[in-house]
Amino acid sequence: MNATGKDDAGKKEADLDPDIAEYLDEIEPEQIHPNEIAWMARFVAPYLRPYRALLGVLIVLLIIDTLINFSFPLVYQYLVDNGLVVRNWDVVLKVLTFLGCAAVAEATCGLSIDYVFSRVASDIMRDLRLKMFNHLQTLPMSYYNEARTGEILSRFSGDLVAVEHVLVALVPWLILPLLEVFYSATLMFVFNVWLGLLGMLLLPLVILVPRLFANRAFALSYAKRAQEGGLLSAVQENIGAQTIVKAFGQQQRASRTFAGLNSAWLGTAFRFNFFSTLVERTAHTGIYLMHIAVFALGAYWAYVGEITLGTLIGFEEVFLLMGYAVTHVTQFAPTMAQAAGSTHRLHEFLNEPPEAPDREGAVDLPRLKEIVAFEHVGFQYPGGIFRIDDINLKCAMNSLVSVVGPSGSGKSTILNLLLRFFEPESGVIAIDGRDIQAGTRQSLRAQIGIVFQDNFLFNTSILENIKVGAPEATFEEARAAARAAEIDDFIMGLPQGYETPAGERGAQLSGGQRQRLAIARALVRNPAILLLDEATSALDHDTETAFNVTLRKLATERLVISVTHRLASAELSDQVVVFERGRIREIGAHEDLLQRDGFYASFWRKQTSKPNKRPARGK
Ligand code: ADP
Ligand code: MG
């Protein structure tokens, strides 16, 4: 039928079956830093800045909390040695009162810490997510051409969630336990220098060995997250391609491809999870060994009277505290490791270069008055092989220009250039003699309306769908646009008129009605330039003819450039531009081109000799 359709199908098919090995090769960790934790802290730091005041409160609370906790083992020692052993009831009462008050204070403090930090963590996540979304708005079309939707989405879902898990758990699972490790280590020395030293001697065992595994897990987490992004992309693609999958009986092949990606994930995920748990396991074992050694020595010394019973009990309390604290930190390791890879992916995404800013001193382009000109324009898609060369074209205001030619000849490409989705390599595109690159993109796009072959209708009313083109438009303006698009009568005939839901009813709108709605959406912007890209390609012959008559009328107040591989609109247009393989092959009025009897004429004869239309002219 039409070659574009076939191209699209071919593209989707190829995407369904990505070369797994090659894809996995592409997953290169951004850089795995020797000190991942410090790196992550640096990534998060800028997001903390706005909450400095709250964080200050948090630090004060943490210090109070630490001091209270610090006192407990010392008080125990005092209670045993000066209260219980010598049977001094006064001391016992004093100590118990202190412990009761301290417990209440500690609980209050802990609660406040949780409150403040939950608040800050949620604020940071909101800021980060918003920053990512805003970044998405600044990325150039070339990014969207190459990126896979699932890949982008996975950064918003899995990766953000992984970072959130770390943030939310940061205080209870890392900062508080680390403070505990610090003060319990200090206390051990307070109780007995030798026991303290013995404890310290074993501490490297608890830190260094688990660290080895932690580094492995950190390094693997990026690959794991990247593969998860790939899996999500595959699912998303498969959902979008279901009609093709079903019609071409590709279910098994899709499953095989997915199984391949999934198995590759298994290898990475298994190693990641195993190393993550080894962190905790080895730390746990280390603590266990330390405990036995220290306790054995302490018990012996208490037995021979070298230290008091209170010291042994106090020391034991401290040691358990430290043990718990270290275990806490190590249990947090898998969460940290998961987030390490995710942080890199977020960082990578936020570092995607945005659309090049407007030139220095760019001014607002005045509205088109006379002419849009392409002068010696040459361009090649980044990473692509297709190129257009030496495009020279003048499109006058208040005229209808048809850009025709075979599929893939570069017609849509010139619209991409005119909209500045891409910038030409050479040559100039000018509006009334002013290079569009010297103006702001915003002022350029504000005077352009565009209609595609497929126009997305949002799940709101017809009115709202028209107002997408100009959100601030009044009802009357929207209606005027609909009238110009010759769809007002139809809409008014609907029971709910302009309030009819377009999403749900969208399916009931005919192809021609959808296209007219799309034109109304473009017209409500009151564009000086109306672009149509294959806007009639999905319409039947009669609808297309009526539509082209509308276009002809619209071209009395603006420049209309209609890009199509079908020639029906060419007959009505002021100027026909014929593209072939990235070059303008012929240019002129329809009649002249027919008389020239060249490329266009034979193209025309081929299309008009289709059984649904008798040859209009020709020999
Ligand atoms: P058409 O005349 O059908 O509108 P296009 O201008 O869309 O043709 O495309 C011309 C050629 O440029 C095609 O071969 C297509 O594969 C290639 N192309 C189109 N868009 C891109 C892109 N974003 N990146 C790389 N190549 C592209
Ligand atoms: Mg095209």
Side-chain angles (χ1 to χ4, degrees):
M1 219 197 70
N2 81 52
T4 320
K6 246 162 76 197
D7 276 350
D8 285 349
K11 235 196 254 160
K12 273 189 190 143
E13 266 233 61
D15 283 350
L16 271 182
D17 186 21
D19 184 352
I20 297 171
E22 192 184 309
Y23 171 67
L24 291 178
D25 275 351
E26 282 171 18
I27 300 178
E28 267 301 314
E30 192 185 42
Q31 309 113 327
I32 288 303
H33 294 252
N35 195 347
E36 275 301 319
I37 296 178
W39 191 86
M40 283 160 73
R42 263 202 301 282
F43 175 82
V44 174
Y47 300 95
L48 295 173
R49 224 160 276 147
Y51 307 104
R52 266 174 306 208
L54 269 182
L55 287 172
V57 173
L58 188 72
I59 288 170
V60 171
L61 287 170
L62 282 171
I63 291 172
I64 298 174
D65 190 70
T66 305
L67 287 178
I68 297 174
N69 279 319
F70 194 83
S71 69
F72 281 147
L74 291 173
V75 173
Y76 288 143
Q77 183 197 30
Y78 181 72
L79 173 71
V80 173
D81 288 345
N82 299 12
L84 296 181
V85 174
V86 298
R87 301 190 145 267
N88 182 338
W89 181 242
D90 251 11
V91 170
V92 175
L93 207 61
K94 250 195 285 176
V95 167
L96 288 181
T97 315
F98 173 80
L99 285 179
C101 295
V104 172
E106 211 273 337
T108 316
C109 204
L111 201 71
S112 316
I113 290 175
D114 292 345
Y115 177 83
V116 170
F117 196 72
S118 303
R119 183 73 229 224
V120 174
S122 316
D123 276 332
I124 292 174
M125 288 316 294
R126 176 202 53 197
D127 296 351
L128 183 56
R129 189 180 287 112
L130 185 64
K131 176 159 176 185
M132 286 173 57
F133 188 80
N134 289 345
H135 188 62
L136 212 48
Q137 310 310 306
T138 68
L139 293 176
M141 281 312 288
S142 55
Y143 174 81
Y144 289 95
N145 266 326
E146 283 158 29
R148 291 150 45 111
T149 318
E151 253 294 310
I152 305 177
L153 284 181
S154 82
R155 293 178 207 240
F156 275 84
S157 49
D159 291 322
L160 268 182
V161 170
V163 171
E164 181 179 2
H165 280 162
V166 164
L167 268 186
V168 169
L170 197 61
V171 167
W173 287 86
L174 187 70
I175 294 180
L176 280 176
L178 279 180
L179 282 174
E180 279 167 18
V181 170
F182 178 72
Y183 68 70
S184 44
T186 318
L187 274 173
M188 291 206 303
F189 282 97
V190 173
F191 281 117
N192 186 291
V193 177
W194 295 110
L195 285 178
L197 274 180
L198 184 63
M200 288 302 107
L201 231 86
L202 288 167
L203 203 58
L205 191 73
V206 180
I207 295 171
L208 292 182
V209 180
R211 207 192 133 98
L212 227 58
F213 295 119
N215 283 345
R216 288 297 299 272
F218 281 2
L220 284 165
S221 69
Y222 181 91
K224 176 168 174 280
R225 282 301 306 151
Q227 286 175 1
E228 281 162 4
L231 283 169
L232 195 63
S233 263
V235 173
Q236 180 252 337
E237 226 159 58
N238 181 266
I239 294 171
Q242 268 303 308
T243 41
I244 291 172
V245 171
K246 288 211 162 59
F248 288 81
Q250 294 289 305
Q251 292 93 333
Q252 289 196 352
R253 180 148 160 234
S255 291
R256 266 202 309 280
T257 309
F258 191 78
L261 286 170
N262 204 21
S263 301
W265 170 85
L266 171 75
T268 317
F270 161 69
R271 280 184 300 152
F272 168 80
N273 288 328
F274 185 57
F275 284 122
S276 300
T277 47
L278 274 186
V279 175
E280 192 191 333
R281 173 69 51 212
T282 48
H284 202 80
T285 311
I287 291 270
Y288 204 70
L289 292 176
M290 242 169 101
H291 192 187
I292 293 173
V294 170
F295 194 67
L297 186 65
Y300 173 72
W301 277 344
Y303 183 77
V304 297
E306 184 81 20
I307 57 174
T308 65
L309 194 60
T311 306
L312 182 66
I313 291 177
F315 190 86
E316 177 67 8
E317 161 83 11
V318 173
F319 195 89
L320 285 182
L321 195 74
M322 187 169 94
Y324 277 134
V326 171
T327 314
H328 253 78
V329 174
T330 54
Q331 277 175 0
F332 191 51
T335 314
M336 290 277 279
Q338 182 84 273
S342 289
T343 314
H344 278 288
R345 282 165 57 78
L346 296 186
H347 178 253
E348 205 174 60
F349 171 75
L350 287 170
N351 268 13
E352 284 291 341
E355 197 168 37
D358 286 323
R359 265 190 206 170
E360 188 121 350
V363 290
D364 281 350
L365 290 168
R367 197 177 159 85
L368 168 70
K369 281 198 198 64
E370 282 165 14
I371 217 148
V372 173
F374 286 68
E375 288 158 19
H376 306 292
V377 172
F379 168 73
Q380 185 160 3
Y381 282 106
I385 44 165
F386 175 81
R387 59 174 300 120
I388 61 168
D389 265 319
D390 201 28
I391 300 297
N392 289 292
L393 178 61
K394 286 191 161 51
C395 307
M397 183 64 173
N398 304 335
S399 74
L400 172 60
V401 177
S402 287
V403 179
V404 300
S407 282
S409 57
K411 306 181 299 294
S412 300
T413 302
I414 65 157
L415 298 191
N416 284 337
L417 293 176
L418 183 55
L419 282 158
R420 285 187 69 192
F421 286 160
F422 298 89
E423 308 285 359
E425 261 164 36
S426 54
V428 168
I429 304 174
I431 289 185
D432 294 331
R434 204 185 281 250
D435 184 352
I436 56 173
Q437 286 200 49
T440 60
R441 281 198 186 77
Q442 192 276 332
S443 64
L444 171 72
R445 290 176 189 164
Q447 54 178 307
I448 298 180
I450 185 157
V451 179
F452 297 99
Q453 175 169 359
D454 257 325
N455 293 285
F456 190 80
L457 291 181
F458 292 90
N459 196 17
T460 53
S461 66
I462 286 184
L463 177 65
E464 287 305 319
N465 266 284
I466 293 176
K467 279 169 64 172
V468 165
E472 68 290 351
T474 62
F475 174 69
E476 272 317 312
E477 284 164 342
R479 206 172 157 196
R483 222 175 271 133
E486 297 176 359
I487 182 86
D488 175 62
D489 287 344
F490 168 76
I491 299 173
M492 292 308 280
L494 293 170
Q496 287 171 269
Y498 278 81
E499 291 308 320
T500 309
E504 174 189 320
R505 265 201 81 101
Q508 291 172 39
L509 294 174
S510 72
Q513 286 155 355
R514 286 176 73 98
Q515 288 311 74
R516 287 181 187 277
L517 209 55
I519 291 215
R521 178 191 286 175
L523 287 181
V524 78
R525 293 165 75 79
N526 186 24
I529 305 169
L530 178 64
L531 304 179
L532 300 105
D533 194 354
E534 305 284 3
T536 60
S537 296
L539 304 183
D540 61 74
H541 174 251
D542 290 346
T543 316
E544 183 182 9
T545 309
F547 192 88
N548 284 332
V549 172
T550 308
L551 279 193
R552 179 66 267 180
K553 287 186 209 154
L554 291 174
T556 52
E557 288 171 16
R558 55 185 65 77
L559 166 62
V560 179
I561 303 181
S562 172
V563 159
T564 172
H565 68 278
R566 315 226 305 201
L567 300 186
S569 71
E571 203 176 351
L572 295 172
S573 58
D574 301 298
Q575 185 179 213
V576 182
V577 184
V578 188
F579 264 77
E580 193 200 20
R581 290 198 218 117
R583 286 171 170 276
I584 293 180
R585 175 77 184 256
E586 285 170 357
I587 195 162
H590 171 76
E591 297 295 336
D592 299 342
L593 290 179
L594 281 185
Q595 267 178 10
R596 203 181 294 171
D597 199 16
F599 184 71
Y600 178 78
S602 74
F603 201 32
W604 173 262
R605 274 197 301 275
K606 251 187 256 161
Q607 278 203 6
T608 49
S609 64
K610 273 186 189 164
N612 67 348
K613 194 174 179 193
R614 303 236 56 84
R617 285 180 192 78
K619 335 192 240 178

